[in-house]
Amino acid sequence: VVCTPGVVEKGPVFLTLLHLTVAAFDTFTEENDPWGDHSFGVVEVSGIRVYWKIDLYDEGYEFGAEEPANPERTRRVLTMLLPSEY
């Protein structure tokens, strides 16, 4: 899990609420998830809009995953960021 500086500076209570909100997110629609891969979402915590995204990397976290469907060869990174940091 990676949080950008803008998210971190909101403080530990905000971070805890954000993690819980992202973990519970399940309102995927064709509009916000056109590819059906559940790799991006937008949540609001304490009136602050936050983007989250999941990127798929190779085992060394250097390149994109060659076999995204293979959990033994793919590393997932969740990034939470403010819209201004996108």
Side-chain angles (χ1 to χ4, degrees):
V1 174
V2 175
C3 294
T4 59
V7 170
V8 171
E9 76 179 19
K10 301 294 181 195
V13 172
F14 180 85
L15 283 172
T16 299
L17 292 172
L18 177 59
H19 280 79
L20 292 170
T21 302
V22 170
F25 185 87
D26 66 355
T27 53
F28 295 101
T29 65
E30 278 193 32
E31 184 176 292
N32 69 19
D33 188 25
W35 294 279
D37 62 1
H38 298 15
S39 65
F40 180 85
V42 179
V43 296
E44 190 170 306
V45 175
S46 301
I48 298 170
R49 191 174 166 105
V50 179
Y51 294 167
W52 62 264
K53 64 187 187 95
I54 298 173
D55 294 301
L56 308 177
Y57 290 94
D58 66 0
E59 295 168 85
Y61 295 95
E62 294 182 59
F63 305 103
E66 289 184 29
E67 298 178 49
N70 182 347
E72 293 179 18
R73 306 261 340 259
T74 302
R75 302 296 177 256
R76 288 165 175 73
V77 176
L78 168 64
T79 303
M80 293 180 275
L81 62 153
L82 300 177
S84 62
E85 297 175 300
Y86 190 71

